[in-house]
Amino acid sequence: QPTHGGFYAAQKQNYFKDANLDVSLQNGGPQVSAVQIVASGKADFGLAGADALLLAREQGIPVVALGAVLQVSPSALFYHKEDTSIKGFEDLNGHKVYAVLAATYWQYLKSSFKLDKVQEFQFNGQYANFVNDPTAVTQGYVTNTPADLESQGVQTNHLLVADSGYRPYYTVIFATEKFVSEHPDVVKAYVQASIRGWDYYKDHASEISGELVKVNQSATTEAFDREAEAQKEFVYGYDAAQNGVGYMSKERWEELSKQLRDIGVLKKEEDVSKAFTTEFLPKP
């Protein structure tokens, strides 16, 4: 996906090779746990959400975040444009909502906005039920869902999940504490080559779309070009605008840790300074 574009850019531009690294990029997907694969030593680096990494650490899996590609998630809840009853998250009560019900963002929204009158349905990746029900709500991404639904004749508005206050970093580069302590030079080389790839991708996304569709043959370069443009703000905006791609702050990690404890996903308070480090990122 375009959320991986910078890594493919680093590969195509030989940034990994220039850093004396032999890197292979392996496909993920809904059934693939990057945390488990990295923890087992079958991969040196992985990509995951900050919330998943904090949960892994509480479960005794010593992973550490090294850089965040997405400053906030483009996740959103979409509703039909003609439905004027929805102005904010609290207005979801009384609606059918298609969401990944176990997802931490949904648990946070339900708790924070007292969504006890929502009719919950498990999101299965398809939009047919939403398309056919003008009062329904569905999860999706602002980077690609609007175009997908427009192609089915549906105009939408949306609520960006990050606007609720729930703002984990996503597409976070991570490794195990052991790998980081034993191979700091490799970690620094990999992270910096990856960020260099993301810096290249910013102005050369269409070139890299051609590489992505070789791997994801169900996609088109046109769709990926649109998505790359739509995701720019999430990668290069927010705190990254001042501090560079990959930036993470202790305040954001602490905010997330507290939110996950408040909704019962995390049971105990941990020192988040052990969960992430910015020491391997390029200096802005």
Side-chain angles (χ1 to χ4, degrees):
Q1 304 290 331
T3 49
H4 311 120
F7 302 104
Y8 282 86
Q11 191 86 299
K12 185 173 188 293
Q13 295 304 111
N14 291 323
Y15 296 156
F16 293 131
K17 221 172 252 180
D18 293 348
N20 204 29
L21 299 175
D22 179 13
V23 173
S24 61
L25 300 172
Q26 299 177 12
N27 289 2
Q31 311 308 319
V32 178
S33 170
V35 169
Q36 294 296 340
I37 291 170
V38 171
S40 68
K42 291 177 183 163
D44 299 314
F45 301 96
L47 300 172
D51 43 5
L53 296 178
L54 287 179
L55 185 57
R57 288 184 63 84
E58 182 164 285
Q59 293 169 344
I61 305 171
V63 286
V64 57
L66 306 166
V69 173
L70 292 174
Q71 289 290 309
V72 303
S73 172
S75 294
L77 292 172
F78 291 84
Y79 55 97
H80 292 252
K81 203 160 199 172
E82 64 268 24
D83 186 347
T84 58
S85 67
I86 298 175
K87 300 284 192 296
F89 292 99
E90 61 280 358
D91 300 324
L92 296 173
N93 273 320
H95 288 266
K96 285 182 182 173
V97 176
Y98 294 88
V100 175
L101 302 180
T104 50
Y105 90 84
W106 181 240
Q107 300 303 315
Y108 175 83
L109 292 179
K110 280 172 61 182
S111 173
S112 300
F113 296 93
K114 299 182 173 51
L115 301 180
D116 52 357
K117 297 180 181 64
V118 164
Q119 298 175 62
E120 298 176 271
F121 293 87
Q122 184 66 27
F123 179 68
N124 64 2
Q126 305 299 317
Y127 295 115
N129 291 326
F130 170 77
V131 168
N132 294 324
D133 183 348
T135 66
V137 176
T138 186
Q139 75 169 46
Y141 297 103
V142 295
T143 46
N144 57 21
T145 303
D148 198 349
L149 291 170
E150 278 173 27
S151 72
Q152 299 177 60
V154 179
Q155 299 288 321
T156 58
N157 287 325
H158 66 267
L159 301 169
L160 188 69
V161 171
D163 289 342
S164 73
Y166 188 67
R167 308 179 301 155
Y169 295 112
Y170 280 106
T171 315
V172 179
I173 304 167
F174 72 93
T176 62
E177 289 179 355
K178 183 173 186 286
F179 189 86
V180 172
S181 66
E182 291 178 359
H183 306 283
D185 293 348
V186 173
V187 173
K188 182 176 182 179
Y190 176 76
V191 170
Q192 298 206 357
S194 297
I195 299 304
R196 196 177 165 201
W198 278 102
D199 288 339
Y200 181 86
Y201 184 71
K202 184 177 184 181
D203 297 317
H204 302 87
S206 59
E207 176 191 326
I208 306 304
S209 292
E211 298 298 307
L212 293 174
V213 297
K214 289 177 188 173
V215 186
N216 183 349
Q217 294 175 359
S218 66
T220 65
T221 53
E222 294 77 19
F224 274 179
D225 286 349
R226 280 197 308 272
E227 201 170 324
E229 188 61 33
Q231 83 176 8
K232 270 188 176 179
E233 178 191 0
F234 298 93
V235 177
Y236 306 102
Y238 297 91
D239 289 344
Q242 296 293 320
N243 301 286
V245 177
Y247 178 78
M248 303 178 294
S249 75
K250 187 178 181 186
E251 291 74 24
R252 286 275 303 276
W253 279 94
E254 285 176 337
E255 173 187 65
L256 175 62
S257 177
K258 182 180 185 307
Q259 289 169 334
L260 293 176
R261 291 196 309 277
D262 287 347
I263 62 175
V265 172
L266 292 180
K267 305 300 182 223
K268 55 183 188 285
E269 186 171 358
E270 194 200 357
D271 179 4
V272 296
S273 63
K274 294 176 181 170
F276 83 102
T277 178
T278 57
E279 68 174 294
F280 301 105
L281 290 168
K283 298 294 176 274

